[in-house]
Amino acid sequence: MKKGLTFVYAVHGNLYINLTNKCPCACTFCIRRNGDGAYGSDSLWLEREPTVEEVLAAVAEFSPDSYGDIVFCGYGEPMERADDVAFIGKELKNRYNKKIRLNTNGLGDRINGRSVASLLEGAVDVVSVSLNAGCSAEYNKVTRPKWEDGFDVMLAFAEDCKKYVPQVMFTVVDVISKEEIEKCRALSEKMDIPLRVRPYDS
Ligand code: SF4
């Protein structure tokens, strides 16, 4: 595995922040299983995690005004560094007129041992939570989280985010069955959170 110091990278006209490689899941479809980068980026495996100052400097080097959204995504779970997501997000909102999105597995509460959705207020505009399945048993098969009750933790976080963030959405990757996607759709409707079915390669 090749490691580097790619803290920020550009894909599809957006800027992506790579804060950490830590993640409590082992998703069957995780792009980390297929290589070292994402969509032509340099290796996203980190020699070390960036400081918040390094992230802000790396974003500035890209001239963000030439890009669309700024996304916390990375090659790991950004909410492993929940306080830093909040700090960086607020700082980016002060500096740039950009939509800030957090892509998350939704397990930040369990990772941090406290409720973290409120940290996102004023720091991100959109939270995109990986739903991945329509029930706990299937979720555990696909996402393989450290915790048996990960599905419920994720749903509670998504619900909580509605209080603090203007837009909350669920995503599923289209590698799961049509029946499972329909179960996800029903759950999304019940929770009043829009669902995006994402092609595996986007
Ligand atoms: S949550 Fe994201 S980074 Fe973690 S294993 Fe799943 S796809 Fe990969």
Side-chain angles (χ1 to χ4, degrees), residues 21-32 73-77 104-105 130 132 142-143 198:
N21 292 152
K22 288 186 200 145
C23 181
C25 301
C27 299
T28 51
F29 55 81
C30 183
I31 57 168
R32 306 194 301 182
C73 179
Y75 231 36
E77 170 48 46
T104 178
N105 59 27
S130 301
N132 290 335
V142 173
T143 305
R198 187 167 67 83

Short mmCIF file of all heavy atoms in Angstrom, two decimals, residues 21-32 73-77 104-105 130 132 142-143 198, ligand 1:
data_model
loop_
_atom_site.label_atom_id
_atom_site.label_comp_id
_atom_site.label_asym_id
_atom_site.label_seq_id
_atom_site.Cartn_x
_atom_site.Cartn_y
_atom_site.Cartn_z
N ASN A 21 -7.89 7.96 7.84
CA ASN A 21 -8.14 6.64 7.26
C ASN A 21 -8.89 5.73 8.25
O ASN A 21 -9.19 4.58 7.95
CB ASN A 21 -6.83 5.95 6.86
CG ASN A 21 -6.11 6.61 5.70
OD1 ASN A 21 -4.89 6.53 5.61
ND2 ASN A 21 -6.83 7.29 4.80
N LYS A 22 -9.14 6.25 9.44
CA LYS A 22 -9.82 5.41 10.44
C LYS A 22 -11.28 5.21 10.06
O LYS A 22 -11.93 6.14 9.54
CB LYS A 22 -9.79 6.10 11.81
CG LYS A 22 -8.43 6.11 12.45
CD LYS A 22 -8.56 6.68 13.86
CE LYS A 22 -7.21 7.16 14.35
NZ LYS A 22 -7.31 8.35 15.20
N CYS A 23 -11.80 4.04 10.32
CA CYS A 23 -13.22 3.77 10.06
C CYS A 23 -13.61 2.50 10.81
O CYS A 23 -12.86 1.53 10.80
CB CYS A 23 -13.47 3.57 8.56
SG CYS A 23 -15.22 3.27 8.22
N PRO A 24 -14.77 2.51 11.47
CA PRO A 24 -15.19 1.32 12.22
C PRO A 24 -15.93 0.29 11.37
O PRO A 24 -16.48 -0.66 11.91
CB PRO A 24 -16.12 1.91 13.29
CG PRO A 24 -16.73 3.10 12.60
CD PRO A 24 -15.71 3.64 11.65
N CYS A 25 -15.98 0.52 10.06
CA CYS A 25 -16.70 -0.41 9.17
C CYS A 25 -15.71 -1.10 8.22
O CYS A 25 -14.56 -0.70 8.11
CB CYS A 25 -17.74 0.34 8.34
SG CYS A 25 -18.97 1.19 9.34
N ALA A 26 -16.23 -2.09 7.54
CA ALA A 26 -15.44 -2.78 6.49
C ALA A 26 -16.43 -3.10 5.37
O ALA A 26 -16.73 -4.27 5.11
CB ALA A 26 -14.80 -4.04 7.04
N CYS A 27 -16.97 -2.06 4.73
CA CYS A 27 -18.02 -2.26 3.74
C CYS A 27 -17.54 -3.15 2.60
O CYS A 27 -16.41 -3.01 2.13
CB CYS A 27 -18.48 -0.91 3.18
SG CYS A 27 -19.15 0.18 4.43
N THR A 28 -18.45 -3.99 2.15
CA THR A 28 -18.08 -4.93 1.07
C THR A 28 -17.77 -4.18 -0.22
O THR A 28 -17.02 -4.67 -1.05
CB THR A 28 -19.23 -5.91 0.81
OG1 THR A 28 -20.43 -5.15 0.62
CG2 THR A 28 -19.42 -6.87 1.96
N PHE A 29 -18.36 -2.96 -0.39
CA PHE A 29 -18.16 -2.21 -1.63
C PHE A 29 -17.16 -1.07 -1.47
O PHE A 29 -17.03 -0.25 -2.36
CB PHE A 29 -19.51 -1.61 -2.08
CG PHE A 29 -20.16 -0.78 -1.02
CD1 PHE A 29 -19.77 0.54 -0.81
CD2 PHE A 29 -21.13 -1.32 -0.19
CE1 PHE A 29 -20.33 1.30 0.19
CE2 PHE A 29 -21.71 -0.56 0.82
CZ PHE A 29 -21.30 0.75 1.00
N CYS A 30 -16.47 -0.99 -0.35
CA CYS A 30 -15.58 0.16 -0.08
C CYS A 30 -14.51 0.28 -1.17
O CYS A 30 -13.84 -0.71 -1.50
CB CYS A 30 -14.90 -0.01 1.28
SG CYS A 30 -13.85 1.40 1.71
N ILE A 31 -14.35 1.49 -1.70
CA ILE A 31 -13.38 1.66 -2.79
C ILE A 31 -11.96 1.42 -2.30
O ILE A 31 -11.07 1.18 -3.09
CB ILE A 31 -13.45 3.06 -3.45
CG1 ILE A 31 -13.26 4.19 -2.44
CG2 ILE A 31 -14.74 3.24 -4.24
CD1 ILE A 31 -13.03 5.55 -3.08
N ARG A 32 -11.76 1.43 -1.00
CA ARG A 32 -10.41 1.19 -0.47
C ARG A 32 -9.96 -0.25 -0.73
O ARG A 32 -8.78 -0.55 -0.65
CB ARG A 32 -10.37 1.47 1.03
CG ARG A 32 -10.88 2.85 1.37
CD ARG A 32 -10.55 3.27 2.76
NE ARG A 32 -11.08 2.38 3.78
CZ ARG A 32 -10.94 2.59 5.08
NH1 ARG A 32 -10.29 3.66 5.50
NH2 ARG A 32 -11.43 1.76 5.95
N CYS A 73 -14.94 13.72 3.09
CA CYS A 73 -15.20 12.39 2.58
C CYS A 73 -14.06 11.48 2.99
O CYS A 73 -14.08 10.83 4.01
CB CYS A 73 -15.35 12.49 1.07
SG CYS A 73 -15.66 10.95 0.25
N GLY A 74 -13.03 11.56 2.19
CA GLY A 74 -11.80 10.90 2.59
C GLY A 74 -11.78 9.41 2.35
O GLY A 74 -12.68 8.84 1.74
N TYR A 75 -10.75 8.87 2.84
CA TYR A 75 -10.48 7.45 2.75
C TYR A 75 -10.62 6.88 4.16
O TYR A 75 -9.71 6.28 4.70
CB TYR A 75 -9.07 7.27 2.24
CG TYR A 75 -8.94 6.34 1.05
CD1 TYR A 75 -9.90 6.28 0.07
CD2 TYR A 75 -7.81 5.52 0.93
CE1 TYR A 75 -9.75 5.44 -1.02
CE2 TYR A 75 -7.65 4.68 -0.15
CZ TYR A 75 -8.63 4.65 -1.12
OH TYR A 75 -8.47 3.81 -2.19
N GLY A 76 -11.78 7.18 4.73
CA GLY A 76 -12.04 6.81 6.12
C GLY A 76 -13.26 7.59 6.54
O GLY A 76 -13.89 8.25 5.72
N GLU A 77 -13.59 7.51 7.81
CA GLU A 77 -14.80 8.18 8.31
C GLU A 77 -14.44 9.54 8.91
O GLU A 77 -13.79 9.60 9.95
CB GLU A 77 -15.47 7.27 9.35
CG GLU A 77 -16.57 7.92 10.13
CD GLU A 77 -17.59 8.66 9.26
OE1 GLU A 77 -18.03 8.11 8.24
OE2 GLU A 77 -17.94 9.81 9.62
N THR A 104 -20.83 10.60 5.46
CA THR A 104 -20.52 9.88 6.70
C THR A 104 -21.22 8.54 6.76
O THR A 104 -22.28 8.36 6.16
CB THR A 104 -20.92 10.75 7.92
OG1 THR A 104 -20.67 10.02 9.12
CG2 THR A 104 -22.39 11.14 7.89
N ASN A 105 -20.62 7.62 7.53
CA ASN A 105 -21.32 6.35 7.76
C ASN A 105 -22.36 6.49 8.88
O ASN A 105 -23.07 5.54 9.18
CB ASN A 105 -20.33 5.22 8.07
CG ASN A 105 -19.47 5.48 9.30
OD1 ASN A 105 -19.86 6.20 10.21
ND2 ASN A 105 -18.30 4.88 9.33
N SER A 130 -24.65 7.21 4.81
CA SER A 130 -24.72 5.93 4.08
C SER A 130 -25.71 5.01 4.78
O SER A 130 -25.45 4.52 5.87
CB SER A 130 -23.34 5.24 4.07
OG SER A 130 -22.40 6.07 3.48
N ASN A 132 -27.16 2.20 3.22
CA ASN A 132 -26.59 0.90 2.83
C ASN A 132 -27.54 -0.30 2.86
O ASN A 132 -27.32 -1.28 2.17
CB ASN A 132 -25.36 0.53 3.66
CG ASN A 132 -24.19 1.42 3.33
OD1 ASN A 132 -24.10 1.97 2.23
ND2 ASN A 132 -23.27 1.58 4.26
N VAL A 142 -23.52 -5.97 4.93
CA VAL A 142 -22.92 -5.13 3.89
C VAL A 142 -21.85 -4.20 4.45
O VAL A 142 -20.79 -4.02 3.86
CB VAL A 142 -24.03 -4.28 3.20
CG1 VAL A 142 -23.44 -3.26 2.24
CG2 VAL A 142 -25.00 -5.17 2.48
N THR A 143 -22.13 -3.65 5.62
CA THR A 143 -21.27 -2.60 6.18
C THR A 143 -20.22 -3.17 7.14
O THR A 143 -19.14 -2.58 7.31
CB THR A 143 -22.15 -1.54 6.91
OG1 THR A 143 -23.13 -1.08 5.97
CG2 THR A 143 -21.36 -0.38 7.40
N ARG A 198 -26.87 5.65 -5.46
CA ARG A 198 -25.61 6.09 -6.06
C ARG A 198 -24.99 4.96 -6.90
O ARG A 198 -24.85 3.84 -6.39
CB ARG A 198 -24.67 6.46 -4.91
CG ARG A 198 -23.38 7.08 -5.27
CD ARG A 198 -22.72 7.68 -4.02
NE ARG A 198 -22.29 6.72 -3.03
CZ ARG A 198 -21.16 6.06 -3.07
NH1 ARG A 198 -20.32 6.22 -4.06
NH2 ARG A 198 -20.81 5.21 -2.11
S1 SF4 B 1 -17.79 3.49 5.87
FE1 SF4 B 1 -16.81 4.32 4.03
S2 SF4 B 1 -14.60 4.21 4.44
FE2 SF4 B 1 -15.61 2.95 5.97
S3 SF4 B 1 -15.48 0.88 5.09
FE3 SF4 B 1 -17.48 1.77 4.52
S4 SF4 B 1 -17.18 2.70 2.49
FE4 SF4 B 1 -15.14 2.33 3.39
#
